[in-house]
Amino acid sequence: MTPLLQVRGAGHRYGLRHGCRDVDLDLWPGEVLAVVGESGSGKSTLLGTLSQRLGPSEGSIRYRMADGRVIDLGEESEAAVRRLWRSEWGFVHQDPADGLRMHVSAGGNVGEPLMANGWRHYGRIREAAAGWLERVEIPADRIDDHPTTFSGGMRQRLQIARNLVVSPRLVFMDEPTSGLDVSVQARLLDLIRGLVFDLGLAVVVVTHDLAVARLVSHRTLVMKDGRVVESGLTDRVLDDPHAAYTQLLVSSVLQG
Amino acid sequence: MSARQAVYNIGYLDEQTKRMIRRALLKAVAIPGFQVPFASREVPMPRGWGTGGVQVTAAVIGEDDVLKVIDQGADDTTNAVSIRSFFASVARVATTTRTDEATIIQTRHRIPETPLSEGQVLVYQVPIPEPLRFLEPRETETRRLHALEEYGLMFVKLYEDIARFGHIAKTYDYPVLVGGRYLMSPSPIPSFDNPKMHRNPALQLFGAGREKRIYAVPPFTSVESLGFEDFPFEPQRFDEPCALCGSTGGYLDEVITDDAGGSMFVCSDTDHCERTATRSGTESATGTEAIA
Amino acid sequence: MYVAVKGGERAIANAHALLAEQGRGHPELPAIDPAQVEGQLGVLVSRVMTEGSLYDPALAARAVLQAQGDVLEAVTLMRSYRTTLPRFGYTCAVDTAGLAPQRRISATFKDLPGGQQLGATFDYTHRLFSTPSSGADVPDRHDGSPDADDPAMPRVADLLGVGALIEPDARPGQDAAEPGDLTREPSVFPMSRAERLQALARSDEGFLLGLAYSSQRGFGTTHPFAGEVRVGEVEVEFDAPELGFAVPLGRIEVTECQMVNQFTGSAETPAQFTRGYGLAFGRSERKAMSMSIVDRALRGAEFDERVASPVQDEEFVISHGDNVAATGFVEHLKLPHYVDFQAELMLVRKLNAEFEEAHA
């Protein structure tokens, strides 16, 4: 058995400067990995590198596909990567406007990935969309409304539904809760945790908020200046941090 | 100073240009529905008035050809007249208004009612060749979507129509999938005409001069109008016959006859109307005198 | 009784006769000779040549007359004639440093080798109507001013370039290949800078002016300085392969503008000035200046600049700058669209009926 994602020496450069470098990690099916760090630590660059949203990168990133084949993402064509995007991966942006079509109805937003995957029965597309809206707690009568009329929390839940409707195996999340009010955050995290558990998703979630890591992730990776300074089981990392930087990070949260 | 003569080549376009366009056409025929970029030339009519169709016609026309030009289905609309007389003067070819006699038919917005046959060429004037343009304005992005065959976006538009109106609300320039691969704009023909494109024995060529693209549907190629299994494509239908020739099953134009809401429906295809009327001894849409 | 609209042919002939009549003006007044247009409306002729992409003042003057003063019609005439002309080859790059300017100004240096030379310009004229005259009275020129030809008049950009304070004319490897020809080969986005400059040279003066203005007002900030504007005649040479040396074909009048913009530098490049370039036929100062601002704005990607405004967007600028395309497509709305309108009419009726039914 090989991991879903096997990363060795991964890095990405902006000109001469490294956004992130020398990252090793394994991600197993059903596992949630949190990447934490301050802004500028390279965690979003790492997410972009893993998900192939950024250009050429260093190191190797191997992915085990649904059919069992293991591919090196850096060597795949754009078409192959886009196919993964359509059928096996999801990406939840911090700002829902980046991941939704704001002037397409909620149903259309959730239905689009299905249509992109060849669904051609309107009734079934709509049924699937309605089912997902219910799962993310968006009232059924809002199915034909545009996300522009939704609250921030609803938009984020809609973005999650749009990502999960194709039953992806791997979902990348970039600060999925940080644009929201604290009360809304808690509810959304709860929802994410439930969905991830029910669907057995593998997730890489980037967050600056240790509470998010604590609540949803199995393992945590701490980044600083583009490098991984510590990684391990989330409870171990947060309760018994080894690296000086992690200790500082954890204590600052406790004091704050 | 005596005025110099400005001299133009036979068929207007220079021979190098004709060869360049023919190469683009060959590529277009080889990849049905794919938009081939070409170095579109200026022609002596304004952009948007059929400059793509004129270049395609100029590149394929020969001295044995018989040319028919229609605009809105009619041979005698001013733009059709203008383009026909242009070719009559610069290419010295025979012209006709009869669909069955023409070897090349240049058209804007219609496909003739008379079925086309093998050996005929239908040249469409195309304003916006990119079917995804109004969903995604960027050429670099739409090119990628075609390359990767990512057409989900087009179906979103159809989905939204059904969610809102209960049916697809696109009546012309209705998107088609050619040869099971490329999404294509049929040019702004009414959806009524779409079924005629499917497995048509004639060669269908499309020229977009302003947008610098050429594409083609070779004879007997599948042209599928998009739809859902439970909301399939439905071309528009007319309930009444043509008020002039009495024929049914053709596309009709509504003509306002008075200022009290009175109107009548007549054939948009004037050649079809005229010949149906001749056969049945009635008056046709072209058989009457001008008010222009 | 309904009467079908027929007889397009006669309608067209009549319309053309009417147009000719209107263009002739009062029949007792003399018709304008193209030579008069060429001589007295030189700025207009310049614009028609530039956007028509054909240097031929006599033909441009005829186009202006035939188009009854409609610039875009005249440009269309020029272009659709130009495109049929056989292509023998491409001339050598013109040497604008060697042109003897009749006008040369720099806003960046008070004085510079070769000096400032005001030349023929509307600048500093008072825009007051002058008394109508027979046209024969041209004021005298006072000779002895710096108008006298100065052989050494290096380009300002080259002066700065000596100290590496400004980017070189071309970076190593940038467009090293022969530039493509926009009018002969299909162009696709993204374009090379050479192709972009070709497109900008043909672009509508008003469109480029508006874009350049927008960038000065903050929609894609470029902070330009007019490094140099020069107007004069350059020699055009053709490198005939069978001869092995360049043969002069003649002289053409051009306006050249180099805008100088500050660039704060990046990890790889020290801070230096960057350039935008504009070149137009004849006396076309506004066009050359606007073009150079837009050229620089479109180079955002080269300098890792944030691309957020229309003027920085290559597809937006290049796709919409061609006035022959723009005017044709806007005006094509005059053509009949009744087939499509009929289709829409039926749809709206259907939607209305469904609405009434639902609300009955």
Side-chain angles (χ1 to χ4, degrees):
Chain A
M1 180 86 171
T2 48
L4 194 59
L5 208 55
Q6 192 174 47
V7 181
R8 294 294 177 266
H12 183 82
R13 281 172 19 165
Y14 299 106
L16 293 178
R17 194 177 61 80
H18 269 96
C20 67
R21 66 198 300 182
D22 304 330
V23 177
D24 297 339
L25 66 88
D26 290 334
L27 184 72
W28 298 86
E31 185 179 39
V32 179
L33 175 72
V35 181
V36 302
E38 304 168 300
S39 79
S41 63
K43 56 190 193 303
S44 289
T45 302
L46 176 61
L47 198 69
T49 304
L50 297 180
S51 62
Q52 304 293 304
R53 297 175 71 86
L54 292 174
S57 301
E58 301 169 352
S60 89
I61 303 169
R62 293 160 68 78
Y63 171 72
R64 183 161 52 78
M65 304 211 295
D67 62 12
R69 271 192 311 134
V70 176
I71 56 171
D72 191 321
L73 293 174
E75 288 165 10
E76 292 300 306
S77 67
E78 186 189 359
V81 173
R82 301 263 291 214
R83 209 171 304 123
L84 285 176
W85 274 118
R86 281 206 299 270
S87 51
E88 302 198 15
W89 293 0
F91 196 109
V92 177
H93 296 262
Q94 176 176 356
D95 180 355
D98 293 336
L100 293 173
R101 293 191 192 281
M102 296 304 281
H103 295 282
V104 165
S105 70
N109 264 295
V110 181
E112 181 177 356
L114 298 175
M115 293 184 253
N117 277 310
W119 284 42
R120 294 290 179 266
H121 190 286
Y122 174 83
R124 284 201 278 278
I125 293 164
R126 198 165 167 84
E127 202 178 284
W132 267 99
L133 292 183
E134 194 188 333
R135 267 183 108 157
V136 298
E137 298 164 23
I138 292 174
D141 62 357
R142 303 298 302 270
I143 190 168
D144 292 330
D145 293 346
H146 290 185
T148 44
T149 66
F150 287 7
S151 69
M154 273 172 83
R155 286 181 192 182
Q156 199 53 292
R157 296 201 301 278
L158 181 64
Q159 193 192 182
I160 289 169
R162 177 176 158 100
N163 271 285
L164 300 189
V165 66
V166 288
S167 313
R169 305 170 68 226
L170 173 59
V171 178
F172 301 95
M173 297 187 183
D174 188 7
E175 304 272 10
T177 57
S178 61
L180 306 170
D181 295 342
V182 178
S183 61
V184 180
Q185 278 189 17
R187 195 171 142 210
L188 186 68
L189 280 173
D190 225 35
L191 179 79
I192 290 176
R193 194 165 58 165
L195 288 171
V196 165
F197 182 77
D198 290 349
L199 300 168
L201 291 176
V203 177
V204 181
V205 56
V206 159
T207 178
H208 68 280
D209 185 348
L210 297 185
V212 171
R214 167 88 77 189
L215 207 60
V216 300
S217 74
H218 302 107
R219 278 194 307 135
T220 293
L221 203 128
V222 183
M223 290 191 77
K224 182 178 190 303
D225 299 333
R227 292 174 191 270
V228 176
V229 294
E230 180 162 6
S231 69
L233 292 174
T234 297
D235 289 343
R236 203 282 295 155
V237 170
L238 297 185
D239 295 341
D240 177 23
H242 294 177
Y245 175 74
T246 317
Q247 290 166 1
L248 194 71
L249 207 63
V250 171
S251 67
S252 69
V253 171
L254 291 176
Q255 284 158 11
Chain B
M1 187 192 81
S2 67
R4 279 171 297 143
Q5 281 291 310
V7 185
Y8 298 98
N9 189 30
I10 299 270
Y12 175 74
L13 293 176
D14 58 292
E15 295 305 314
Q16 271 177 311
T17 298
K18 289 182 194 168
R19 277 198 288 276
M20 177 275 292
I21 294 174
R22 286 174 198 147
R23 277 195 296 272
L25 286 169
L26 287 174
K27 182 168 179 181
V29 169
I31 317 171
F34 172 76
Q35 299 167 50
V36 182
F38 80 114
S40 175
R41 303 292 198 253
E42 285 85 1
V43 292
M45 45 277 288
R47 287 284 191 224
W49 297 52
T51 60
V54 164
Q55 289 179 76
V56 169
T57 300
V60 299
I61 204 163
E63 54 190 13
D64 298 333
D65 276 308
V66 181
L67 177 70
K68 170 182 166 82
V69 183
I70 52 172
D71 188 337
Q72 315 293 302
D75 297 274
D76 58 352
T77 39
T78 43
N79 200 43
V81 169
S82 167
I83 291 172
R84 192 167 57 237
S85 67
F86 172 72
F87 278 111
S89 69
V90 300
R92 296 185 214 125
V93 293
T95 61
T96 183
T97 58
R98 289 187 57 136
T99 300
D100 55 347
E101 284 175 357
T103 56
I104 299 173
I105 302 168
Q106 182 170 329
T107 179
R108 179 167 169 265
H109 295 191
R110 276 308 313 275
I111 298 175
E113 309 291 3
T114 310
L116 301 176
S117 53
E118 247 172 285
Q120 286 186 302
V121 180
L122 186 59
V123 178
Y124 295 76
Q125 302 175 196
V126 182
I128 306 273
E130 179 49 68
L132 297 164
R133 179 60 66 238
F134 294 106
L135 303 168
E136 169 53 61
R138 226 161 265 283
E139 169 75 21
T140 37
E141 181 60 20
T142 52
R143 218 167 51 218
R144 181 176 291 127
L145 295 178
H146 282 294
L148 302 175
E149 215 178 333
E150 286 188 8
Y151 296 139
L153 192 56
M154 191 76 240
F155 282 92
V156 170
K157 145 87 181 120
L158 303 182
Y159 169 95
E160 293 285 283
D161 275 2
I162 300 171
R164 191 154 166 222
F165 303 117
H167 48 78
I168 295 169
K170 189 138 178 76
T171 58
Y172 63 91
D173 207 350
Y174 191 103
V176 295
L177 193 69
V178 177
R181 173 58 180 84
Y182 281 98
L183 183 67
M184 187 188 92
S185 155
S187 87
I189 57 171
S191 63
F192 176 92
D193 281 340
N194 272 28
K196 296 177 190 162
M197 305 182 85
H198 180 60
R199 299 192 56 76
N200 194 304
L203 171 62
Q204 303 176 73
L205 303 176
F206 299 78
R210 196 176 38 76
E211 299 279 339
K212 306 179 178 62
R213 295 291 183 273
I214 278 173
Y215 52 99
V217 176
F220 303 107
T221 302
S222 121
V223 178
E224 178 203 344
S225 302
L226 300 189
F228 291 102
E229 287 156 24
D230 47 344
F231 285 88
F233 163 71
E234 273 188 56
Q236 286 187 309
R237 272 182 238 293
F238 293 85
D239 298 329
E240 54 265 85
C242 168
L244 296 178
C245 73
S247 68
T248 54
Y251 194 84
L252 302 178
D253 287 332
E254 186 171 349
V255 180
I256 306 217
T257 48
D258 55 41
D259 57 2
S263 68
M264 65 195 270
F265 285 86
V266 299
C267 284
S268 124
D269 183 335
T270 49
D271 169 59
H272 170 75
C273 192
E274 190 170 3
R275 284 193 289 140
T276 313
T278 310
R279 275 199 299 277
S280 63
T282 53
E283 186 181 41
S284 83
T286 55
T288 47
E289 208 13 59
I291 56 165
Chain C
M1 177 54 215
Y2 164 66
V3 183
V5 180
K6 196 178 181 279
E9 224 147 327
R10 202 192 323 153
I12 290 176
N14 282 339
H16 290 174
L18 202 56
L19 176 71
E21 198 179 306
Q22 287 199 349
R24 176 60 184 82
H26 198 293
E28 280 167 25
L29 292 175
I32 306 174
D33 188 275
Q36 289 176 290
V37 174
E38 187 184 337
Q40 296 178 38
L41 300 178
V43 177
L44 175 59
V45 166
S46 297
R47 180 168 175 197
V48 171
M49 291 195 299
T50 300
E51 290 166 21
S53 306
L54 182 63
Y55 192 92
D56 189 332
L59 202 62
R62 275 173 64 190
V64 166
L65 274 178
Q66 190 175 323
Q68 304 185 6
D70 182 329
V71 177
L72 272 56
E73 269 302 324
V75 168
T76 307
L77 263 169
M78 291 290 274
R79 288 250 202 113
S80 47
Y81 174 62
R82 171 201 196 272
T83 194
T84 66
L85 299 176
R87 211 55 58 98
F88 298 118
Y90 295 87
T91 64
C92 310
V94 293
D95 176 19
T96 51
L99 75 76
Q102 60 92 354
R103 167 166 167 77
R104 188 269 198 121
I105 52 152
S106 168
T108 48
F109 293 101
K110 184 173 179 184
D111 201 5
L112 64 167
Q116 306 255 13
Q117 191 164 305
L118 210 46
T121 177
F122 288 107
D123 301 347
Y124 317 113
T125 60
H126 295 146
R127 273 71 168 192
L128 302 170
F129 282 108
S130 52
T131 327
S133 66
S134 63
D137 44 353
V138 174
D140 289 337
R141 237 185 333 149
H142 302 284
D143 271 337
S145 64
D147 276 16
D149 274 6
D150 189 325
M153 216 180 248
R155 303 190 303 177
V156 170
D158 297 338
L159 294 174
L160 281 170
V162 171
L165 288 177
I166 191 159
E167 58 165 338
D169 251 336
R171 304 164 162 223
Q174 174 190 307
D175 294 337
E178 272 294 294
D181 180 346
L182 197 71
T183 65
R184 292 276 131 173
E185 291 130 36
S187 52
V188 284
F189 296 111
M191 285 180 161
S192 67
R193 187 173 175 213
E195 283 177 304
R196 225 158 48 202
L197 285 169
Q198 288 171 39
L200 292 176
R202 291 154 74 85
S203 288
D204 186 78
E205 178 176 309
F207 181 75
L208 292 187
L209 175 68
L211 284 172
Y213 179 48
S214 75
S215 90
Q216 285 181 284
R217 289 193 65 260
F219 288 79
T221 319
T222 51
H223 303 300
F225 297 97
E228 182 171 22
V229 177
R230 56 165 76 197
V231 185
E233 288 191 343
V234 285
E235 190 112 278
V236 178
E237 293 181 321
F238 180 64
D239 209 346
E242 53 274 19
L243 291 178
F245 55 88
V247 188
L249 298 179
R251 298 172 74 79
I252 61 171
E253 187 183 34
V254 296
T255 303
E256 183 188 56
C257 176
Q258 298 246 18
M259 284 289 171
V260 177
N261 297 66
Q262 205 195 345
F263 168 57
T264 49
S266 70
E268 288 110 285
T269 324
Q272 60 174 191
F273 291 103
T274 56
R275 306 198 240 181
Y277 188 74
L279 185 76
F281 287 147
R283 290 184 284 147
S284 303
E285 213 162 287
R286 185 185 302 119
K287 166 67 181 267
M289 291 180 75
S290 306
M291 175 176 168
S292 59
I293 291 174
V294 174
D295 169 48
R296 174 58 187 80
L298 287 175
R299 298 177 63 203
E302 278 178 57
F303 305 115
D304 280 332
E305 291 168 337
R306 201 169 67 92
V307 173
S309 300
V311 68
Q312 299 168 300
D313 184 329
E314 178 186 79
E315 279 203 37
F316 180 84
V317 172
I318 304 297
S319 303
H320 303 121
D322 189 311
N323 54 20
V324 173
T327 190
F329 201 49
V330 167
E331 294 197 54
H332 106 286
L333 295 173
K334 292 180 285 192
L335 288 179
H337 282 80
Y338 33 77
V339 164
D340 295 345
F341 188 72
Q342 184 65 48
E344 291 289 85
L345 198 59
M346 289 166 65
L347 175 67
V348 171
R349 280 200 186 117
K350 182 174 171 184
L351 293 176
N352 268 347
E354 284 164 1
F355 181 85
E356 309 249 309
E357 216 169 279
H359 291 75

